[in-house]
Amino acid sequence: MNEQIKIKDVTPVKIHKPAETATYPARSRIYVRAVEGMLENIRRFFGLIFLSIFAVIPWLQYNGNQAVLFDFGEQRFNIFGMTLWPQDLTILAYVLIVAAFALFFITTFAGRVWCGFMCPQTTWTFLYIWFEEKIEGSRNKRMKLDERKMDVDKFTRKTLKHFSWITVALLTSMTFVGYFSPIDALFTDFFTFGVSFWAGFFIIFFAVCTYANAGYMREIMCTHMCPYARFQSAMFDKDTFTVAYDPSRGEQRGPRSRKVTPEQLQEKGLGDCIDCNLCVQVCPTGIDIRNGLQYECINCGACVDACNGVMDKMGYPKGLISFTSEHQLAGGKTKIVRPKLIGYAVVLLIMTSLLVYDIYSRQPLEIDIIKDRISLYRETNQGLIENVYTLKLLNKSQNDRIFKISISGIEGAKYVGETEVKVGGGEIYTLPMSVVTGPYSLTEEITDFTFHVETQDENGDIIKIQETSRFIFTDV
């Protein structure tokens, strides 16, 4: 009982944690420093690709029409050769589900790379920062410019910057509205003041949103308004690749000369981090990655490129800040294949297969049969029984089609009306018609029969659909 129990101090070392305050501190403006490196080039590449796709798609033509047009007024979405109607809501549901599980899969594997490399907020924010750098100068010059009193040079630069921002915001909003309204007429009408009220309203609305989000709010959108930053931790595990700092290699941090030898560093107890703060200066959300994983981090990799550049200059190995996992930082090995990742991949594959099947099996035509409710039936001058119907023929394709209509199921029944009609692409054709038959051929008050509609596709293949309706005669 007299033996002393050895106690190990496990108190974590504080690594320049921010000071705790009772209230949230006022937001200070973040001056993002320019950075060069492999990840920055990848981010610019993805940003340019997706920005180009966004700008070009509304201008594409297909069969003489706008290739992609989400026409809410006509309740139809034209996507190249396919027209989606409210009846095709399952396709939209599958698309959203596939997108969600793709995001979950990527996040589990590589963290918030969507936020850092492909998110529109990030893309437009860096685009606005690029205009800032070209017009107002580098980070230090921008800080000094804002500290100066207003003069001719400052007024000129600020005016040119905001004019560039407004121009980008206006072009962005007009392109976005062009997905929902014919874009060629939209641009012409807007600049000639002939645009409709709602189109003009949404152009101004989205321009203001783009200007405010990318120009002023920036990191606030990522840290306070985007829900993805809050629930991302549910998809992370110890094998998720995220931007992280290696404290075992970097601490204790401190400035030093390039001539300092490794032995001298060891004597002083210094790690590889020279505490230059470049990782903080290049961060678009203004965080210090050395404080550990934080929900504000969008995994853009800017701090990785900045730190690797410093390590090169100092002659140290790269990777002090890198895309790594918690297991790897602890000296273990990252497990790429794991149950959570497999589960997301399986669900993603299943939902993608259902989406492809739904699109492949989708019929390019649809019929809706409406029975006349005013008069259930009537007797003609020839003693025949007549039921009146209204057929709605929906041509889901974007090409004109000829539909042939016939009936079956009632012996001796005759179809009275047009048996062949031409329906324009993406149009609904309303066809009034009736079915007549002799009273002695009916053995029940309600007799089921079938409407048949057939047409040909672009390849000459016959497409047939059928719909059941009811013939009513109560004096059987």
Side-chain angles (χ1 to χ4, degrees):
M1 297 296 294
N2 295 328
E3 295 181 2
Q4 292 183 345
I5 301 175
K6 295 182 179 180
I7 299 176
K8 182 179 180 180
D9 186 6
V10 294
T11 304
V13 179
K14 291 185 178 180
I15 307 176
H16 297 272
K17 293 288 185 181
E20 296 182 357
T21 57
T23 58
Y24 287 104
R27 178 199 179 206
S28 57
R29 181 176 177 185
I30 298 175
Y31 294 87
V32 181
R33 186 187 185 110
V35 63
E36 296 292 337
M38 181 185 69
L39 293 176
E40 177 67 12
N41 292 335
I42 294 175
R43 188 193 59 73
R44 291 179 181 178
F45 172 78
F46 277 107
L48 180 62
I49 291 296
F50 283 95
L51 190 61
S52 300
I53 292 174
F54 167 78
V56 170
I57 282 181
W59 294 99
L60 297 179
Q61 297 290 311
Y62 187 85
N63 288 337
N65 299 313
Q66 187 169 321
V68 177
L69 180 62
F70 305 126
D71 195 339
F72 283 100
E74 297 293 332
Q75 297 185 355
R76 64 187 182 190
F77 292 174
N78 294 332
I79 305 175
F80 290 91
M82 182 172 62
T83 301
L84 300 180
W85 297 83
Q87 296 90 334
D88 300 311
L89 186 62
T90 53
I91 294 180
L92 177 60
Y94 282 138
V95 169
L96 295 177
I97 293 173
V98 167
F101 276 97
L103 186 62
F104 299 160
F105 176 83
I106 293 297
T107 302
T108 302
F109 178 72
R112 294 180 63 185
V113 290
W114 160 262
C115 294
F117 290 85
M118 290 174 283
C119 176
Q121 173 66 22
T122 303
T123 301
W124 264 261
T125 295
F126 277 104
L127 180 61
Y128 272 42
I129 292 175
W130 182 84
F131 277 104
E132 271 188 343
E133 293 173 349
K134 296 302 179 183
I135 297 172
E136 296 184 354
S138 63
R139 177 178 183 270
N140 292 334
K141 290 182 179 180
R142 298 200 303 272
M143 295 173 67
K144 292 180 181 179
L145 182 67
D146 286 347
E147 292 173 356
R148 280 166 39 190
K149 292 183 179 181
M150 185 62 68
D151 54 24
V152 175
D153 178 66
K154 182 175 181 178
F155 178 80
T156 302
R157 292 179 183 274
K158 292 291 183 181
T159 301
L160 184 58
K161 180 187 75 172
H162 287 284
F163 175 79
S164 302
W165 284 3
I166 292 172
T167 302
V168 172
L170 190 60
L171 291 175
T172 299
S173 64
M174 293 179 67
T175 302
F176 182 73
V177 175
Y179 279 85
F180 305 91
S181 178
I183 193 168
D184 48 356
L186 182 70
F187 269 72
T188 302
D189 292 342
F190 182 82
F191 289 109
T192 57
F193 303 99
V195 70
S196 65
F197 170 79
W198 286 113
F201 169 80
F202 282 112
I203 288 175
I204 300 301
F205 174 77
F206 288 118
V208 171
C209 289
T210 304
Y211 176 77
N213 291 347
Y216 290 96
M217 300 180 71
R218 292 185 178 176
E219 78 281 358
I220 292 180
M221 293 294 297
C222 302
T223 58
H224 297 295
M225 300 183 70
C226 178
Y228 185 44
R230 301 295 179 173
F231 70 77
Q232 63 166 334
S233 58
M235 291 167 275
F236 280 21
D237 56 36
K238 293 185 178 181
D239 294 299
T240 299
F241 288 99
T242 58
V243 174
Y245 166 75
D246 187 355
S248 63
R249 176 187 159 188
E251 301 299 323
Q252 292 290 333
R253 70 185 75 161
R256 80 290 304 270
S257 170
R258 296 184 188 181
K259 299 179 181 180
V260 176
T261 64
E263 291 77 13
Q264 291 174 325
L265 289 178
Q266 190 173 4
E267 291 176 2
K268 295 180 180 180
L270 293 177
D272 285 354
C273 179
I274 66 173
D275 203 19
C276 61
N277 279 329
L278 285 182
C279 56
V280 180
Q281 296 176 17
V282 300
C283 179
T285 58
I287 65 171
D288 189 341
I289 195 63
R290 296 171 294 182
N291 292 332
L293 181 63
Q294 299 153 73
Y295 75 90
E296 296 95 339
C297 178
I298 62 173
N299 273 23
C300 65
C303 56
V304 177
D305 285 333
C307 187
N308 284 341
V310 173
M311 294 296 103
D312 272 343
K313 293 178 181 178
M314 297 298 298
Y316 299 161
K318 295 181 180 180
L320 179 59
I321 301 176
S322 63
F323 272 92
T324 186
S325 67
E326 188 176 341
H327 272 156
Q328 194 167 342
L329 280 178
K333 187 176 180 181
T334 303
K335 297 179 181 178
I336 301 297
V337 180
R338 50 195 189 273
K340 182 190 288 188
L341 200 63
I342 293 175
Y344 283 136
V346 170
V347 176
L348 178 61
L349 180 61
I350 292 174
M351 299 311 300
T352 303
S353 301
L354 290 174
L355 171 62
V356 173
Y357 174 77
D358 200 0
I359 295 176
Y360 179 77
S361 61
R362 177 176 174 270
Q363 293 289 353
L365 62 98
E366 186 172 314
I367 62 172
D368 187 18
I369 304 169
I370 303 173
K371 176 75 172 65
D372 186 8
R373 300 182 183 275
I374 298 177
S375 175
L376 294 180
Y377 69 93
R378 73 182 185 89
E379 187 174 349
T380 67
N381 295 332
Q382 292 79 23
L384 301 176
I385 306 304
E386 180 182 41
N387 278 204
V388 178
Y389 304 85
T390 299
L391 270 64
K392 288 187 177 294
L393 305 173
L394 172 58
N395 183 1
K396 290 184 175 181
S397 71
Q398 295 183 8
N399 300 317
D400 295 348
R401 294 279 176 85
I402 295 178
F403 293 159
K404 297 179 181 179
I405 306 105
S406 60
I407 61 170
S408 66
I410 302 178
E411 185 178 356
K414 293 182 179 181
Y415 173 92
V416 180
E418 295 182 76
T419 58
E420 192 173 295
V421 295
K422 183 178 181 180
V423 183
E427 293 183 356
I428 300 176
Y429 188 90
T430 301
L431 176 65
M433 50 77 59
S434 63
V435 176
V436 296
T437 186
Y440 299 106
S441 63
L442 301 171
T443 58
E444 297 179 357
E445 292 184 350
I446 299 177
T447 304
D448 290 339
F449 71 104
T450 304
F451 282 94
H452 300 272
V453 180
E454 68 175 53
T455 185
Q456 289 184 340
D457 62 12
E458 291 80 1
N459 300 323
D461 298 328
I462 301 297
I463 301 173
K464 295 181 180 180
I465 62 171
Q466 59 185 33
E467 189 74 22
T468 301
S469 187
R470 293 180 173 183
F471 191 93
I472 300 175
F473 179 52
T474 59
D475 292 339
V476 176

mmCIF file of all heavy atoms in Angstrom, residues 248-283:
data_model
loop_
_atom_site.group_PDB
_atom_site.id
_atom_site.type_symbol
_atom_site.label_atom_id
_atom_site.label_comp_id
_atom_site.label_asym_id
_atom_site.label_seq_id
_atom_site.Cartn_x
_atom_site.Cartn_y
_atom_site.Cartn_z
ATOM 1 N N SER A 248 2.862 16.926 -34.361
ATOM 2 C CA SER A 248 4.028 16.185 -33.892
ATOM 3 C C SER A 248 5.284 16.588 -34.648
ATOM 4 O O SER A 248 6.399 16.499 -34.112
ATOM 5 C CB SER A 248 3.786 14.684 -34.048
ATOM 6 O OG SER A 248 3.616 14.340 -35.424
ATOM 7 N N ARG A 249 5.090 17.049 -35.867
ATOM 8 C CA ARG A 249 6.220 17.490 -36.669
ATOM 9 C C ARG A 249 6.425 18.998 -36.580
ATOM 10 O O ARG A 249 7.556 19.484 -36.603
ATOM 11 C CB ARG A 249 6.005 17.084 -38.125
ATOM 12 C CG ARG A 249 7.072 17.587 -39.067
ATOM 13 C CD ARG A 249 6.728 17.298 -40.515
ATOM 14 N NE ARG A 249 7.448 18.174 -41.405
ATOM 15 C CZ ARG A 249 7.240 18.249 -42.711
ATOM 16 N NH1 ARG A 249 6.330 17.475 -43.292
ATOM 17 N NH2 ARG A 249 7.942 19.086 -43.453
ATOM 18 N N GLY A 250 5.363 19.744 -36.445
ATOM 19 C CA GLY A 250 5.468 21.203 -36.506
ATOM 20 C C GLY A 250 5.767 21.883 -35.202
ATOM 21 O O GLY A 250 6.358 22.971 -35.180
ATOM 22 N N GLU A 251 5.346 21.315 -34.065
ATOM 23 C CA GLU A 251 5.554 21.979 -32.774
ATOM 24 C C GLU A 251 6.902 21.589 -32.167
ATOM 25 O O GLU A 251 7.392 20.476 -32.397
ATOM 26 C CB GLU A 251 4.418 21.582 -31.818
ATOM 27 C CG GLU A 251 3.029 21.959 -32.321
ATOM 28 C CD GLU A 251 2.852 23.442 -32.529
ATOM 29 O OE1 GLU A 251 3.396 24.221 -31.713
ATOM 30 O OE2 GLU A 251 2.174 23.822 -33.494
ATOM 31 N N GLN A 252 7.424 22.466 -31.347
ATOM 32 C CA GLN A 252 6.966 23.819 -31.120
ATOM 33 C C GLN A 252 7.363 24.711 -32.289
ATOM 34 O O GLN A 252 8.435 24.578 -32.835
ATOM 35 C CB GLN A 252 7.577 24.385 -29.822
ATOM 36 C CG GLN A 252 7.066 23.710 -28.553
ATOM 37 C CD GLN A 252 5.609 24.075 -28.281
ATOM 38 O OE1 GLN A 252 5.152 25.138 -28.685
ATOM 39 N NE2 GLN A 252 4.889 23.196 -27.618
ATOM 40 N N ARG A 253 6.478 25.603 -32.609
ATOM 41 C CA ARG A 253 6.723 26.469 -33.756
ATOM 42 C C ARG A 253 7.498 27.712 -33.350
ATOM 43 O O ARG A 253 7.492 28.109 -32.182
ATOM 44 C CB ARG A 253 5.397 26.864 -34.398
ATOM 45 C CG ARG A 253 4.570 27.808 -33.555
ATOM 46 C CD ARG A 253 3.210 28.092 -34.129
ATOM 47 N NE ARG A 253 2.303 26.978 -33.947
ATOM 48 C CZ ARG A 253 0.978 27.084 -34.017
ATOM 49 N NH1 ARG A 253 0.422 28.246 -34.265
ATOM 50 N NH2 ARG A 253 0.216 26.032 -33.834
ATOM 51 N N GLY A 254 8.111 28.334 -34.318
ATOM 52 C CA GLY A 254 8.833 29.571 -34.039
ATOM 53 C C GLY A 254 9.695 29.986 -35.215
ATOM 54 O O GLY A 254 10.072 29.162 -36.050
ATOM 55 N N PRO A 255 10.031 31.281 -35.312
ATOM 56 C CA PRO A 255 10.868 31.761 -36.428
ATOM 57 C C PRO A 255 12.301 31.286 -36.263
ATOM 58 O O PRO A 255 12.775 31.025 -35.163
ATOM 59 C CB PRO A 255 10.755 33.279 -36.308
ATOM 60 C CG PRO A 255 10.457 33.521 -34.860
ATOM 61 C CD PRO A 255 9.641 32.365 -34.398
ATOM 62 N N ARG A 256 12.974 31.190 -37.392
ATOM 63 C CA ARG A 256 14.376 30.787 -37.383
ATOM 64 C C ARG A 256 15.002 31.143 -38.727
ATOM 65 O O ARG A 256 14.312 31.421 -39.695
ATOM 66 C CB ARG A 256 14.532 29.296 -37.085
ATOM 67 C CG ARG A 256 14.308 28.302 -38.200
ATOM 68 C CD ARG A 256 12.847 28.188 -38.633
ATOM 69 N NE ARG A 256 11.938 27.870 -37.569
ATOM 70 C CZ ARG A 256 11.607 26.619 -37.216
ATOM 71 N NH1 ARG A 256 12.147 25.613 -37.850
ATOM 72 N NH2 ARG A 256 10.715 26.398 -36.292
ATOM 73 N N SER A 257 16.317 31.108 -38.784
ATOM 74 C CA SER A 257 17.047 31.370 -40.021
ATOM 75 C C SER A 257 17.124 30.096 -40.846
ATOM 76 O O SER A 257 17.048 28.985 -40.318
ATOM 77 C CB SER A 257 18.456 31.879 -39.700
ATOM 78 O OG SER A 257 19.256 31.915 -40.869
ATOM 79 N N ARG A 258 17.283 30.280 -42.150
ATOM 80 C CA ARG A 258 17.425 29.118 -43.009
ATOM 81 C C ARG A 258 18.720 28.351 -42.721
ATOM 82 O O ARG A 258 18.846 27.170 -43.060
ATOM 83 C CB ARG A 258 17.416 29.536 -44.482
ATOM 84 C CG ARG A 258 16.127 30.154 -44.958
ATOM 85 C CD ARG A 258 16.191 30.431 -46.441
ATOM 86 N NE ARG A 258 15.041 31.203 -46.891
ATOM 87 C CZ ARG A 258 14.840 31.574 -48.152
ATOM 88 N NH1 ARG A 258 15.736 31.241 -49.075
ATOM 89 N NH2 ARG A 258 13.776 32.270 -48.477
ATOM 90 N N LYS A 259 19.679 29.041 -42.101
ATOM 91 C CA LYS A 259 20.971 28.430 -41.856
ATOM 92 C C LYS A 259 20.981 27.549 -40.605
ATOM 93 O O LYS A 259 21.976 26.881 -40.326
ATOM 94 C CB LYS A 259 22.038 29.522 -41.720
ATOM 95 C CG LYS A 259 22.198 30.375 -42.978
ATOM 96 C CD LYS A 259 23.236 31.452 -42.774
ATOM 97 C CE LYS A 259 23.393 32.334 -44.025
ATOM 98 N NZ LYS A 259 24.406 33.391 -43.826
ATOM 99 N N VAL A 260 19.885 27.574 -39.851
ATOM 100 C CA VAL A 260 19.841 26.788 -38.621
ATOM 101 C C VAL A 260 19.830 25.308 -38.975
ATOM 102 O O VAL A 260 19.045 24.852 -39.800
ATOM 103 C CB VAL A 260 18.597 27.145 -37.785
ATOM 104 C CG1 VAL A 260 18.511 26.248 -36.558
ATOM 105 C CG2 VAL A 260 18.668 28.602 -37.369
ATOM 106 N N THR A 261 20.713 24.556 -38.350
ATOM 107 C CA THR A 261 20.811 23.121 -38.635
ATOM 108 C C THR A 261 19.763 22.343 -37.855
ATOM 109 O O THR A 261 19.231 22.830 -36.845
ATOM 110 C CB THR A 261 22.210 22.608 -38.246
ATOM 111 O OG1 THR A 261 22.391 22.759 -36.824
ATOM 112 C CG2 THR A 261 23.291 23.363 -38.994
ATOM 113 N N PRO A 262 19.443 21.113 -38.284
ATOM 114 C CA PRO A 262 18.490 20.286 -37.539
ATOM 115 C C PRO A 262 18.906 20.065 -36.098
ATOM 116 O O PRO A 262 18.051 19.979 -35.210
ATOM 117 C CB PRO A 262 18.475 18.976 -38.338
ATOM 118 C CG PRO A 262 18.885 19.362 -39.728
ATOM 119 C CD PRO A 262 19.854 20.479 -39.540
ATOM 120 N N GLU A 263 20.200 19.964 -35.843
ATOM 121 C CA GLU A 263 20.664 19.766 -34.470
ATOM 122 C C GLU A 263 20.344 20.983 -33.611
ATOM 123 O O GLU A 263 19.923 20.855 -32.443
ATOM 124 C CB GLU A 263 22.180 19.496 -34.460
ATOM 125 C CG GLU A 263 22.598 18.164 -35.063
ATOM 126 C CD GLU A 263 22.570 18.182 -36.580
ATOM 127 O OE1 GLU A 263 22.465 19.293 -37.166
ATOM 128 O OE2 GLU A 263 22.625 17.090 -37.197
ATOM 129 N N GLN A 264 20.544 22.162 -34.189
ATOM 130 C CA GLN A 264 20.241 23.387 -33.441
ATOM 131 C C GLN A 264 18.743 23.515 -33.188
ATOM 132 O O GLN A 264 18.326 23.989 -32.130
ATOM 133 C CB GLN A 264 20.764 24.604 -34.214
ATOM 134 C CG GLN A 264 22.277 24.697 -34.276
ATOM 135 C CD GLN A 264 22.752 25.819 -35.176
ATOM 136 O OE1 GLN A 264 22.129 26.122 -36.193
ATOM 137 N NE2 GLN A 264 23.867 26.456 -34.794
ATOM 138 N N LEU A 265 17.919 23.104 -34.164
ATOM 139 C CA LEU A 265 16.468 23.122 -33.966
ATOM 140 C C LEU A 265 16.078 22.194 -32.832
ATOM 141 O O LEU A 265 15.214 22.520 -32.011
ATOM 142 C CB LEU A 265 15.753 22.697 -35.260
ATOM 143 C CG LEU A 265 15.773 23.675 -36.423
ATOM 144 C CD1 LEU A 265 15.065 23.069 -37.637
ATOM 145 C CD2 LEU A 265 15.085 24.975 -36.042
ATOM 146 N N GLN A 266 16.712 21.036 -32.776
ATOM 147 C CA GLN A 266 16.398 20.075 -31.733
ATOM 148 C C GLN A 266 16.795 20.607 -30.363
ATOM 149 O O GLN A 266 16.093 20.406 -29.372
ATOM 150 C CB GLN A 266 17.102 18.752 -32.025
ATOM 151 C CG GLN A 266 16.648 17.605 -31.132
ATOM 152 C CD GLN A 266 17.244 16.289 -31.560
ATOM 153 O OE1 GLN A 266 18.059 16.232 -32.485
ATOM 154 N NE2 GLN A 266 16.849 15.218 -30.897
ATOM 155 N N GLU A 267 17.910 21.299 -30.317
ATOM 156 C CA GLU A 267 18.345 21.881 -29.054
ATOM 157 C C GLU A 267 17.372 22.948 -28.558
ATOM 158 O O GLU A 267 17.106 23.065 -27.358
ATOM 159 C CB GLU A 267 19.742 22.486 -29.214
ATOM 160 C CG GLU A 267 20.853 21.458 -29.409
ATOM 161 C CD GLU A 267 22.187 22.117 -29.657
ATOM 162 O OE1 GLU A 267 22.231 23.383 -29.639
ATOM 163 O OE2 GLU A 267 23.185 21.396 -29.867
ATOM 164 N N LYS A 268 16.850 23.738 -29.496
ATOM 165 C CA LYS A 268 15.891 24.784 -29.137
ATOM 166 C C LYS A 268 14.482 24.253 -28.947
ATOM 167 O O LYS A 268 13.586 24.986 -28.524
ATOM 168 C CB LYS A 268 15.873 25.868 -30.220
ATOM 169 C CG LYS A 268 17.192 26.626 -30.356
ATOM 170 C CD LYS A 268 17.085 27.685 -31.449
ATOM 171 C CE LYS A 268 18.386 28.455 -31.591
ATOM 172 N NZ LYS A 268 18.298 29.506 -32.652
ATOM 173 N N GLY A 269 14.263 22.984 -29.301
ATOM 174 C CA GLY A 269 12.933 22.393 -29.161
ATOM 175 C C GLY A 269 11.950 22.880 -30.203
ATOM 176 O O GLY A 269 10.739 22.907 -29.952
ATOM 177 N N LEU A 270 12.434 23.272 -31.375
ATOM 178 C CA LEU A 270 11.575 23.797 -32.435
ATOM 179 C C LEU A 270 11.218 22.702 -33.431
ATOM 180 O O LEU A 270 12.043 21.844 -33.761
ATOM 181 C CB LEU A 270 12.263 24.944 -33.175
ATOM 182 C CG LEU A 270 12.510 26.227 -32.390
ATOM 183 C CD1 LEU A 270 13.273 27.226 -33.242
ATOM 184 C CD2 LEU A 270 11.191 26.827 -31.909
ATOM 185 N N GLY A 271 9.975 22.774 -33.923
ATOM 186 C CA GLY A 271 9.543 21.891 -34.993
ATOM 187 C C GLY A 271 9.732 22.548 -36.343
ATOM 188 O O GLY A 271 10.423 23.575 -36.464
ATOM 189 N N ASP A 272 9.080 22.001 -37.360
ATOM 190 C CA ASP A 272 9.253 22.524 -38.720
ATOM 191 C C ASP A 272 8.449 23.792 -38.975
ATOM 192 O O ASP A 272 8.730 24.522 -39.937
ATOM 193 C CB ASP A 272 8.857 21.463 -39.746
ATOM 194 C CG ASP A 272 9.904 20.372 -39.881
ATOM 195 O OD1 ASP A 272 10.977 20.506 -39.268
ATOM 196 O OD2 ASP A 272 9.645 19.376 -40.595
ATOM 197 N N CYS A 273 7.422 24.069 -38.184
ATOM 198 C CA CYS A 273 6.597 25.266 -38.417
ATOM 199 C C CYS A 273 7.364 26.513 -37.997
ATOM 200 O O CYS A 273 7.790 26.636 -36.834
ATOM 201 C CB CYS A 273 5.283 25.169 -37.639
ATOM 202 S SG CYS A 273 4.216 26.604 -37.850
ATOM 203 N N ILE A 274 7.534 27.431 -38.929
ATOM 204 C CA ILE A 274 8.279 28.658 -38.633
ATOM 205 C C ILE A 274 7.347 29.792 -38.186
ATOM 206 O O ILE A 274 7.786 30.921 -38.008
ATOM 207 C CB ILE A 274 9.108 29.116 -39.851
ATOM 208 C CG1 ILE A 274 8.191 29.546 -40.999
ATOM 209 C CG2 ILE A 274 10.041 28.002 -40.309
ATOM 210 C CD1 ILE A 274 8.943 30.168 -42.169
ATOM 211 N N ASP A 275 6.076 29.487 -38.022
ATOM 212 C CA ASP A 275 5.081 30.454 -37.519
ATOM 213 C C ASP A 275 5.008 31.698 -38.402
ATOM 214 O O ASP A 275 4.958 32.827 -37.919
ATOM 215 C CB ASP A 275 5.424 30.850 -36.080
ATOM 216 C CG ASP A 275 4.190 31.356 -35.335
ATOM 217 O OD1 ASP A 275 3.069 31.069 -35.798
ATOM 218 O OD2 ASP A 275 4.351 32.018 -34.299
ATOM 219 N N CYS A 276 4.998 31.467 -39.728
ATOM 220 C CA CYS A 276 4.931 32.589 -40.671
ATOM 221 C C CYS A 276 3.507 33.098 -40.872
ATOM 222 O O CYS A 276 3.299 34.173 -41.433
ATOM 223 C CB CYS A 276 5.508 32.175 -42.018
ATOM 224 S SG CYS A 276 4.614 30.803 -42.798
ATOM 225 N N ASN A 277 2.528 32.290 -40.454
ATOM 226 C CA ASN A 277 1.105 32.636 -40.552
ATOM 227 C C ASN A 277 0.591 32.745 -41.988
ATOM 228 O O ASN A 277 -0.506 33.269 -42.217
ATOM 229 C CB ASN A 277 0.788 33.944 -39.815
ATOM 230 C CG ASN A 277 0.630 33.730 -38.319
ATOM 231 O OD1 ASN A 277 0.192 32.666 -37.879
ATOM 232 N ND2 ASN A 277 0.983 34.728 -37.548
ATOM 233 N N LEU A 278 1.346 32.259 -42.963
ATOM 234 C CA LEU A 278 0.855 32.285 -44.339
ATOM 235 C C LEU A 278 -0.377 31.397 -44.493
ATOM 236 O O LEU A 278 -1.266 31.687 -45.301
ATOM 237 C CB LEU A 278 1.949 31.833 -45.301
ATOM 238 C CG LEU A 278 3.076 32.823 -45.593
ATOM 239 C CD1 LEU A 278 4.048 32.242 -46.605
ATOM 240 C CD2 LEU A 278 2.500 34.133 -46.107
ATOM 241 N N CYS A 279 -0.441 30.295 -43.720
ATOM 242 C CA CYS A 279 -1.603 29.410 -43.810
ATOM 243 C C CYS A 279 -2.870 30.130 -43.386
ATOM 244 O O CYS A 279 -3.963 29.819 -43.876
ATOM 245 C CB CYS A 279 -1.385 28.154 -42.965
ATOM 246 S SG CYS A 279 -1.019 28.473 -41.221
ATOM 247 N N VAL A 280 -2.753 31.083 -42.489
ATOM 248 C CA VAL A 280 -3.914 31.875 -42.054
ATOM 249 C C VAL A 280 -4.240 32.942 -43.093
ATOM 250 O O VAL A 280 -5.407 33.199 -43.391
ATOM 251 C CB VAL A 280 -3.644 32.525 -40.684
ATOM 252 C CG1 VAL A 280 -4.848 33.343 -40.233
ATOM 253 C CG2 VAL A 280 -3.303 31.462 -39.649
ATOM 254 N N GLN A 281 -3.215 33.556 -43.663
ATOM 255 C CA GLN A 281 -3.433 34.654 -44.594
ATOM 256 C C GLN A 281 -4.083 34.208 -45.911
ATOM 257 O O GLN A 281 -4.780 34.986 -46.548
ATOM 258 C CB GLN A 281 -2.099 35.356 -44.880
ATOM 259 C CG GLN A 281 -1.481 36.024 -43.664
ATOM 260 C CD GLN A 281 -0.131 36.625 -43.960
ATOM 261 O OE1 GLN A 281 0.241 36.824 -45.108
ATOM 262 N NE2 GLN A 281 0.639 36.920 -42.905
ATOM 263 N N VAL A 282 -3.826 32.966 -46.329
ATOM 264 C CA VAL A 282 -4.395 32.490 -47.599
ATOM 265 C C VAL A 282 -5.767 31.833 -47.403
ATOM 266 O O VAL A 282 -6.436 31.524 -48.391
ATOM 267 C CB VAL A 282 -3.449 31.486 -48.287
ATOM 268 C CG1 VAL A 282 -2.116 32.126 -48.593
ATOM 269 C CG2 VAL A 282 -3.277 30.224 -47.450
ATOM 270 N N CYS A 283 -6.179 31.644 -46.162
ATOM 271 C CA CYS A 283 -7.442 30.940 -45.893
ATOM 272 C C CYS A 283 -8.633 31.850 -46.185
ATOM 273 O O CYS A 283 -8.730 32.948 -45.627
ATOM 274 C CB CYS A 283 -7.494 30.477 -44.445
ATOM 275 S SG CYS A 283 -9.031 29.617 -44.029
#
